[in-house]
Structure formats: C-alpha cells, structure tokens
Amino acid sequence: MKSFFLATVAAATLLATLPAAAQFQKPEDAVKYRKAGMFMMNTHMGRLAAMAQGRVPFDGAAAAASGEALGHLSLLPYLAFIDSNSGAEPSRAKANIWTERAKFDAAAKKLQEEAAKLAVAAKANNPEALKAAFGATAGACKACHDDFRNP
Amino acid sequence: MKSFFLATVAAATLLATLPAAAQFQKPEDAVKYRKAGMFMMNTHMGRLAAMAQGRVPFDGAAAAASGEALGHLSLLPYLAFIDSNSGAEPSRAKANIWTERAKFDAAAKKLQEEAAKLAVAAKANNPEALKAAFGATAGACKACHDDFRNP
C-alpha cells in the first residue's frame, strides 16, 4: 500500500518539474490530452459512485482496480492546462485557470492527494472505507469544477 | 523501482478479474475510453521517441515522468475492447480482436510488460537505457497495431 502512495508522490514531483508548454506539439493536443485523462477518471469515478451509492453491489476487485487507476490518472492531466485554451479543440476550461494559477494548482494537488488515499482505501475490500474515500475524492473533483470549469 | 513494478503487476491482475462488458454503461463509452488511453500513451511515446531519436536533448526528469505514465496507462485500455465495436463512436479496431482474443490478449500483455520495464529504465537518467526500453515498447505497440488496428 505504502509503496504505491510513495510512487504516486514521486511521480507528481517529477511532473511538477517539467516545462508544461514544451510538452505538446500543438496547443489542441494539450486540450485533447487533458480531456482524455478526465474522461478516464470520470469512467472510474462513475464505477465507484455506483458502488458507494448502493446502485450496484460492492465488488472489492472492481473497486481496487478503479481506485488504482484513479491514483495514477489523477497525476496526468494538470500540466496539460498550458497557457490558454485552443480554439481548435472545444474545452470547458475557464480562463481563470490562468489568472488564478496558484489556486488551480492547489485544487489539482488536493485531488491528487485524495485520489492517492482512495487508491489505498479501495484495496481494503471494505464498502465503508471506499465510501468515505470516494466522497472525499468526489468533493475535490467538484470543488475544482465549480471554480474552473464551464457548465 | 521494484515496488512500482509489483504494483503494476498487481493492478494488471486485478483488472483481469473484472467482467469487462459490465464496466461501461454504453458500448461507445468503451470505445471512447480505450481511445483516450491510447491517445495519452501516444503522447508519452512521442516525447520519449523525440529523445530516443535525438530530435530533442535527453531530459531525465521528462523521461522518467513519461515512462511512469506509460507504465500506468498501459494497464487501462485493454479491457475496454469489449465484445465488439460500437457504430456510435468511430474505431480503428479490427474485428479479429474478438475472433483471435487469446492472441490479442497476449499482445496486450507483452505491451504491459515492456511498459513496466520502460517505467523502470526511464528513471535511470541514462539515454542508452531509455533508448533500449523505448525501442522494445515501441515494438510491442507496433506488433499489436499491425495485427489488430486498421490503417
């Protein structure tokens, strides 16, 4: 359990050292990349939501797999929010991402921390542990979406 | 290093136990999910290719981050190749994925194994180690694309 968390933190540290704007050949590729990561996270959050809310039976293996995926995926999209949006690829990102960058980065970091905890909790084969960690992660998603994503 | 590799193998084992068809609410969501994962993998392979082929200077931190991302991402798209393609979302997947499933699964496993090795090699801050592991991973990508992806 601990090893995954440490690996997660190490990866986040590495990502934070990269010059973000240099990572994408075209601006629209950055938008596509972050949308891809968000779609994959949404898929796994949807699976966990169904279990956490009792709409489907708790499945320990499925919960663990989706938690693990979220721990990894949460590290990836944020450095793809480079300087601005691209007109070539539609995006719901709000312009205040770039005018309130420190606040955005803190919100992204909060999500990464909650997702790392969720990855651990989801392996416990315990519906209540999953529910608590899922709720905290979903709250971190929503807080950032409320401030930085268009409806 | 070893801890990440073991976590990778554990996650792959977990994913392999899930009933794939039950994981997506709509068939087109499975297509979107695997395309999202492939796009993200392609982004990171592109960055490593530029370094491995000498088109950009070697950057140890960037290599490590992309290697780590690929180790994680390589685990995710394959169980989204459920029963068939969906007409609602374009896909380059060939029909023999479903008629030659064991061969497809072996090709996916090969990619996951090479990507796990790449994740380790990319942390060595060594251009030659990166180049070798990148080449093996790119070969696993290509072998599967040649057999199972339309041009």
Side-chain angles (χ1 to χ4, degrees), chain B residues 2-135:
Chain B
K2 199 173 178 188
S3 63
F4 166 72
F5 183 74
L6 292 176
T8 300
V9 172
T13 306
L14 284 170
L15 286 168
T17 64
L18 299 179
Q23 291 178 31
F24 296 94
Q25 296 203 320
K26 295 177 287 182
E28 57 264 39
D29 285 347
V31 181
K32 283 184 199 171
Y33 180 91
R34 67 198 195 215
K35 283 166 75 172
M38 294 292 180
F39 181 80
M40 295 178 85
M41 286 200 278
N42 185 57
T43 299
H44 290 286
M45 286 298 283
R47 289 179 195 165
L48 296 182
M51 285 186 240
Q53 296 161 3
R55 286 182 278 116
V56 303
F58 178 76
D59 176 332
S66 277
E68 180 94 17
L70 284 160
H72 299 324
L73 289 167
S74 70
L75 302 175
L76 298 178
Y78 297 100
L79 281 177
F81 287 91
I82 54 175
D83 305 346
S84 66
N85 278 321
S86 160
E89 174 74 21
S91 170
R92 294 163 72 188
K94 288 169 74 171
N96 61 335
I97 289 173
W98 297 283
T99 55
E100 300 181 81
R101 186 76 207 198
K103 186 179 171 191
F104 177 75
D105 287 346
K109 186 162 178 284
K110 172 74 173 162
L111 181 275
Q112 291 168 340
E113 288 168 353
E114 295 299 346
K117 286 187 231 168
L118 174 59
V120 175
K123 288 178 186 156
N125 202 28
N126 178 327
E128 290 308 314
L130 173 69
K131 204 168 169 175
F134 169 81

Side-chain angles (χ1 to χ4, degrees), chain A residues 90-144:
Chain A
S91 169
R92 293 163 73 187
K94 287 168 78 171
N96 63 333
I97 289 173
W98 296 283
T99 55
E100 300 181 82
R101 187 75 205 198
K103 185 180 172 190
F104 176 76
D105 287 346
K109 186 163 176 284
K110 172 73 173 164
L111 183 272
Q112 291 168 340
E113 288 168 354
E114 295 299 345
K117 288 187 231 168
L118 174 59
V120 175
K123 286 178 186 158
N125 202 29
N126 178 329
E128 291 308 314
L130 172 69
K131 204 167 168 174
F134 170 79
T137 305
C141 295
K142 183 178 184 304
C144 195

Side-chain angles (χ1 to χ4, degrees), chain A:
Chain A
M1 301 295 143
K2 198 172 179 190
S3 64
F4 165 71
F5 183 74
L6 291 176
T8 300
V9 172
T13 306
L14 284 169
L15 286 168
T17 64
L18 299 179
Q23 292 177 32
F24 296 93
Q25 297 202 320
K26 294 176 289 182
E28 57 265 38
D29 285 347
V31 181
K32 284 184 200 171
Y33 181 90
R34 66 198 196 214
K35 284 167 74 172
M38 294 291 179
F39 182 80
M40 295 178 86
M41 287 200 276
N42 185 58
T43 300
H44 291 285
M45 286 297 283
R47 289 178 195 165
L48 295 183
M51 285 187 240
Q53 295 162 0
R55 285 183 279 117
V56 304
F58 178 76
D59 176 332
S66 277
E68 180 94 16
L70 283 161
H72 299 323
L73 290 168
S74 70
L75 302 175
L76 300 177
Y78 298 100
L79 282 178
F81 287 91
I82 54 174
D83 305 346
S84 67
N85 278 320
S86 161
E89 175 74 21
S91 169
R92 293 163 73 187
K94 287 168 78 171
N96 63 333
I97 289 173
W98 296 283
T99 55
E100 300 181 82
R101 187 75 205 198
K103 185 180 172 190
F104 176 76
D105 287 346
K109 186 163 176 284
K110 172 73 173 164
L111 183 272
Q112 291 168 340
E113 288 168 354
E114 295 299 345
K117 288 187 231 168
L118 174 59
V120 175
K123 286 178 186 158
N125 202 29
N126 178 329
E128 291 308 314
L130 172 69
K131 204 167 168 174
F134 170 79
T137 305
C141 295
K142 183 178 184 304
C144 195
H145 292 168
D146 285 350
D147 286 340
F148 296 109
R149 188 181 70 168
N150 284 311

